Amino acid sequence: MSIFRIRGGRSLAGSVGVQGAKNSVLPILAATVLAHGECVIHNCPRLSDVEHTMEILGYLGCKIRQEGRTVWVDASAPTGCSIPDELMREMRSSVVFLGPILGRMGQAELTYPGGCELGPRPIDLHLAALRALGAEIQERSGRLVCKGELTGGSITLSLASVGATENAMLAAVAAKGTTTITNAAREPEIVELQSFLRALGAKVRGAGSSVIVIEGGDPLHGGEHTVQSDRIVAATYLSAVACAGGEGELLGVDWRQLSTVTAALVEAGCQVESGSNSIRIAVRKPLKAVRPIRTAPYPGFPTDAQAVVMAALCKAEGATVFVENMFESRYRHVGELARMGADIRVEGRVAVVCGVPRLFGASVRAADLRGGAALVAAGLGAEGETEVSGVKHILRGYEDLAGDLAALGADICLEEEIVI
């Protein structure tokens, strides 16, 4: 079992490039199923979620080759339309394959991601979108069986779900006629998916706004694309510097995608300077509490950045209120931060962070991806040594968290824990 071992209490200094975006590359890889030719994806981060996605592509009959951070996917002749349960369970975002498989093959069969049971859940938005395009979807023995010739239509999402927007876009590209998606998610990852689909010859417009229009039905060809940097990884590294103090520079970052995060850090007392392709942060004095932080769909404060910014404010003077509007059970890192001396009180979707003078190293466990990253960031600002287990969650979204933080001056390593 792996752990991150962190010796905190030292200020940071250095620069680091930010990896490709996990939340961009997964739907892009799923979209290659629609291409009648070879797709080349550059700046593809080496993550466990990416590995599982490529396993699914291989199972579907796609030819895959990888060299470094470049992946070639040839979906000229896919042979399968189903995904086994063991692959679906590996990651929740595997449901994004439903639209492209159905659009390319005319049928698709898979289980609920993560083994979810029937009932109200976010995947209902995905299914409603596909049904609006003419898909027939039934559940048989815990599997979703989908078939039908897709035709353009009107899709109105009851929530601006990123995953449902992506699935609707991928299905609509294959549907004959014009599709309009209303109340679409506006995240940068949606804009990037549109850019990739256009590179394959699709007619898509409107991404970044609440209405996306797709003229579908034409076969797509292969194409080439470079994945943008990961804005949540960037938010993590900014928060890490805020936790530990010192300064750091992030390279290859679009500051516009992080404006709500940097605004909160500036209000806390950090100095932030944004360039055309970089962000510099300096922390030269103790932080102070900020106005309430409320997570919201883009361009609001990202839910994925909530945990790492909370870690940064654990030592801020005063009290900061967090309101988690996007997901339930998004405060699982709070109990572990308390082990390090943090004073955080949770009531439903509200967490009140009362700043403390010091955090102390402790043995803590990551329960999820972003909460695990928050524990690592907090460890950098804590006195003594911190051990973070549950590393498998963190590796889903960070290619080399220890190496990147070490480039910023952190004393951190990823090592195998010896069990006696």
Side-chain angles (χ1 to χ4, degrees):
M1 181 167 50
S2 298
I3 62 169
F4 284 110
R5 187 178 302 280
I6 306 155
R7 295 174 180 87
R10 55 184 290 178
S11 61
L12 304 185
S15 63
V16 66
V18 176
Q19 69 184 57
K22 175 182 84 77
N23 290 337
S24 287
V25 74
L26 300 183
I28 284 173
L29 287 172
T32 62
V33 172
L34 294 166
H36 296 252
E38 186 176 72
C39 297
V40 184
I41 314 299
H42 301 291
N43 197 33
C44 183
R46 292 172 294 191
L47 306 169
S48 57
D49 272 9
V50 172
E51 293 176 0
H52 295 141
T53 300
M54 290 193 293
E55 288 178 11
I56 290 174
L57 287 170
Y59 189 88
L60 294 173
C62 302
K63 298 178 181 178
I64 305 167
R65 180 165 59 94
Q66 182 176 16
E67 293 181 10
R69 293 181 178 85
T70 297
V71 174
W72 289 261
V73 180
D74 187 346
S76 298
T79 57
C81 61
S82 65
I83 302 175
D85 183 61
E86 58 267 23
L87 290 180
M88 288 296 298
R89 286 178 181 270
E90 292 292 345
M91 57 180 188
R92 186 164 299 278
S93 57
S94 56
V95 72
V96 78
F97 275 97
L98 186 57
I101 294 175
L102 181 60
R104 179 72 185 272
M105 307 297 289
Q107 57 183 338
E109 184 174 340
L110 42 79
T111 60
Y112 289 100
C116 297
E117 297 180 357
L118 287 175
R121 61 205 179 280
I123 195 176
D124 286 344
L125 301 177
H126 299 244
L127 305 185
L130 297 181
R131 287 189 173 109
L133 300 181
E136 299 177 11
I137 305 174
Q138 298 179 338
E139 190 205 12
R140 299 175 184 171
S141 302
R143 296 187 65 82
L144 288 169
V145 180
C146 313
K147 62 180 181 179
E149 183 175 348
L150 301 181
T151 56
S154 178
I155 298 172
T156 300
L157 298 176
S158 58
L159 295 173
S161 161
V162 173
T165 300
E166 292 166 344
N167 234 337
M169 291 172 67
L170 295 173
V173 164
K176 295 180 180 179
T178 301
T179 296
T180 301
I181 305 171
T182 304
N183 196 30
R186 300 165 59 189
E187 272 72 1
E189 294 77 18
I190 301 295
V191 177
E192 185 165 20
L193 180 58
Q194 172 180 272
S195 177
F196 178 65
L197 290 173
R198 284 177 170 177
L200 305 185
K203 299 174 182 177
V204 187
R205 65 182 188 273
S209 74
S210 59
V211 179
I212 299 175
V213 179
I214 301 166
E215 298 174 34
D218 296 328
L220 303 186
H221 51 70
E224 192 167 359
H225 181 80
T226 299
V227 178
Q228 66 184 350
S229 63
D230 195 310
R231 61 193 175 99
I232 305 303
V233 170
T236 300
Y237 296 166
L238 291 172
S239 299
V241 177
C243 283
E247 59 184 49
E249 182 180 27
L250 308 186
L251 306 175
V253 180
D254 186 344
W255 63 270
R256 295 168 296 182
Q257 299 179 0
L258 288 162
S259 59
T260 54
V261 174
T262 55
L265 294 176
V266 167
E267 186 179 347
C270 302
Q271 298 173 1
V272 179
E273 297 178 1
S274 300
S276 60
N277 200 37
S278 65
I279 300 177
R280 292 184 62 88
I281 181 172
V283 184
R284 309 196 185 283
K285 58 184 179 180
L287 301 184
K288 59 182 184 294
V290 303
R291 288 170 291 183
I293 293 175
R294 298 177 173 87
T295 63
Y298 190 85
F301 192 94
T303 181
D304 282 349
Q306 171 255 110
V308 293
V309 173
M310 180 182 290
L313 295 175
C314 281
K315 295 193 297 179
E317 180 181 348
T320 299
V321 175
F322 286 79
V323 182
E324 176 53 64
N325 293 312
M326 301 299 293
F327 295 105
E328 297 178 359
S329 302
R330 204 73 201 255
Y331 290 135
R332 287 185 288 178
H333 53 283
V334 167
E336 300 302 293
L337 288 173
R339 289 174 176 265
M340 304 174 71
D343 183 357
I344 307 173
R345 304 159 194 179
V346 175
E347 184 67 36
R349 292 180 177 266
V350 177
V352 180
V353 181
C354 300
V356 296
R358 293 181 298 276
L359 294 177
F360 303 95
S363 294
V364 293
R365 175 175 293 276
D368 56 56
L369 169 55
R370 306 305 174 187
L375 298 177
V376 172
L380 298 178
E383 298 178 4
E385 186 172 277
T386 296
E387 294 181 359
V388 181
S389 57
V391 167
K392 67 177 184 178
H393 297 294
I394 300 173
L395 297 182
R396 288 184 46 237
Y398 296 86
E399 180 179 280
D400 185 11
L401 183 60
D404 286 351
L405 291 176
L408 290 171
D411 187 347
I412 178 175
C413 62
L414 177 63
E415 59 184 47
E416 291 294 323
E417 185 179 29
I418 299 176
V419 180
I420 300 177

